[in-house]
Amino acid sequence: MSKIPDITIIGGGIIGLLTAREFLQAGATVTVIEKNQIGQESSWAGGGILLPLYPWRQPDAITRLVIHSLTLYPLLATQLKAETGIDPEWNPCGLLIAKNPDLAAAIDWCNCNNVRFEPAGAEFFSRINAEPDNPLWLPDIAQARNPRLVKSLKQDLINKSANLVEQCVPKGITLERDRITAVTTSSGRFSVNQLIICAGAWTGQLFQELFPTIGNAPKVVPVKGQMLLFEAERDTLPYMVLDEDQYLIPRLDGKILAGSTVEQDDFNKITSKEARNRLESFALKLLPALNHYPLTHHWAGLRPGTEQGVPYIDKHPEISNLSINAGHFRNGLAMGPASAQLMVDLILGRPEAVAPEPYKLSSLH
């Protein structure tokens, strides 16, 4: 018989993979169960900016995870590239925010969180067509190429002997008193010691299916986002640009992403012509050079939405070996490393690097 793993994680997106890696680093054995392919949902579909849009407009609970994650990313990216040979393309290319009507709040946030900033001069607008309003340049803000990050994390887990089970749909659980003993899936029965749900946009639905009579269900719902990709050349745009609620993200090979929409559309991932036209119009107007390059891809993903964008990172108060790490909305990559560390801190009883109270199931999210 195979040994029961210390940790079983349902969900193989960025949060599940980072949580698995943190447990492996701590010496635990880990199984990850993913209903589709590892990392092919929201983690693959997003843009990869490692900062929330206008973070001074977000709850402080988001800031705390983001700021700690910023300190963890350089080493994480270096280790993944060295140990897997897959470059996650962590790239501190900087972020230009074209419009800041709430400039005082922006400066206060940057000062309080030691994020470097400076006014963005005319040189930043030589190649983009924006109407600046107190523009800010954040030179240290990075991006990660999320498909590459997911691919490198998956390989890293394989190298560290994690058990990754794909195309495996959870169907039910065996609960004895206050403890889960097994998960029944489309691929068979998995005995568990500790179970963590990291199922992204499916977390709320999955929790209701597995625990229909248990309270404290996380309120996580799908929020669709659509994006475009232009096949541009290197140095067409050297930095990320945020203009109102849309943005451009240049990859190291020159490709440029344009995003994104925020749509309440249940679990529908079908793209729309309306969204394509709106995003294309934004991108071509903001960066006229894109008129010379083809628009090659248009896709949609489902973000794990909560009311305020604050994730659930907590041990369940009624089921002794159940935990949740989900609900990161648009900021799974930006909050991911710190979220994984906090989850492991809570389960292993380590001192928490981030105060856990805002992420409890009983807190507002």
Side-chain angles (χ1 to χ4, degrees):
M1 291 181 64
S2 60
K3 184 180 177 183
I4 302 172
D6 300 318
I7 306 294
T8 300
I9 296 173
I10 296 178
I14 190 71
I15 299 300
L17 296 178
L18 286 167
T19 301
R21 186 178 189 272
E22 188 74 18
F23 272 112
L24 290 165
Q25 299 275 75
T29 55
V30 178
T31 290
V32 177
I33 297 171
E34 166 55 44
K35 69 182 181 68
N36 294 316
Q37 293 292 316
I38 293 287
Q40 294 302 299
E41 295 293 346
S42 178
S43 303
W44 174 89
I49 302 175
L50 299 181
L51 190 77
L53 305 186
Y54 308 102
W56 43 90
R57 302 175 189 172
Q58 313 297 331
D60 185 66
I62 293 175
T63 290
R64 298 282 63 80
L65 291 173
V66 168
I67 294 300
H68 188 49
S69 291
L70 290 180
T71 69
L72 299 175
Y73 256 112
L75 179 59
L76 171 65
T78 299
Q79 289 177 338
L80 288 174
K81 184 177 180 180
E83 296 172 13
T84 70
I86 302 169
D87 186 359
E89 295 191 13
W90 177 82
N91 175 20
C93 60
L95 173 66
L96 171 66
I97 306 180
K99 295 179 176 65
N100 292 282
D102 46 356
L103 180 63
I107 291 174
D108 184 61
W109 185 91
C110 289
N111 285 330
C112 288
N113 294 287
N114 296 313
V115 173
R116 282 204 305 146
F117 71 93
E118 57 190 62
E123 69 276 11
F124 285 95
F125 297 91
S126 60
R127 69 181 79 199
I128 65 172
N129 179 29
E131 297 177 3
D133 177 11
N134 297 315
L136 279 183
W137 168 238
L138 308 183
D140 299 327
I141 299 304
Q143 59 164 297
R145 192 165 187 166
N146 30 328
R148 305 279 178 89
L149 176 61
V150 166
K151 189 175 181 180
S152 64
L153 280 167
K154 180 180 179 180
Q155 186 59 53
D156 189 54
L157 298 191
I158 292 171
N159 294 351
K160 291 178 166 63
S161 301
N163 180 27
L164 307 183
V165 188
E166 299 177 291
Q167 303 289 352
C168 180
V169 180
K171 298 290 189 179
I173 57 97
T174 303
L175 189 63
E176 297 181 5
R177 294 190 176 182
D178 70 340
R179 187 172 181 84
I180 300 163
T181 58
V183 178
T184 304
T185 76
S186 58
S187 301
R189 185 176 184 272
F190 292 80
S191 297
V192 302
N193 282 315
Q194 291 280 343
L195 181 67
I196 307 173
I197 296 181
C198 300
W202 284 265
T203 296
Q205 181 187 75
L206 178 64
F207 195 96
Q208 296 288 357
E209 291 173 357
L210 297 182
F211 308 99
T213 64
I214 302 296
N216 294 292
K219 296 180 176 64
V220 181
V221 298
V223 181
K224 183 161 76 174
Q226 300 188 49
M227 296 191 71
L228 307 179
L229 181 70
F230 291 85
E231 198 80 17
E233 296 177 356
R234 289 176 184 268
D235 300 322
T236 302
L237 182 66
Y239 42 76
M240 300 177 286
V241 182
L242 173 61
D243 191 14
E244 295 185 329
D245 61 348
Q246 295 173 310
Y247 50 79
L248 297 179
I249 305 172
R251 299 305 197 201
L252 288 174
D253 60 5
K255 294 179 174 65
I256 294 177
L257 280 73
S260 71
T261 64
V262 179
E263 306 169 54
Q264 304 292 336
D265 200 12
D266 200 32
F267 288 95
N268 174 23
K269 291 196 292 182
I270 298 173
T271 58
S272 70
K273 185 176 181 180
E274 178 187 6
R276 177 191 171 108
N277 289 343
R278 180 154 58 89
L279 290 171
E280 183 179 22
S281 176
F282 157 76
L284 296 180
K285 179 182 178 183
L286 183 64
L287 185 61
L290 288 178
N291 285 282
H292 303 295
Y293 302 108
L295 194 171
T296 56
H297 293 86
H298 175 205
W299 67 92
L302 300 176
R303 309 177 183 97
T306 61
E307 187 173 345
Q308 299 183 65
V310 177
Y312 295 86
I313 310 169
D314 196 14
K315 298 169 68 174
H316 196 276
E318 298 176 45
I319 303 175
S320 63
N321 63 336
L322 174 65
S323 300
I324 313 290
N325 189 2
H328 295 73
F329 190 33
R330 305 180 78 163
N331 299 302
L333 264 69
M335 293 191 279
S339 297
Q341 192 177 87
L342 176 57
M343 185 82 272
V344 178
D345 291 344
L346 292 171
I347 291 177
L348 298 186
R350 307 186 309 197
E352 299 98 354
V354 175
E357 287 75 19
Y359 317 106
K360 289 185 175 297
L361 283 157
S362 57
S363 298
L364 294 175
H365 291 267

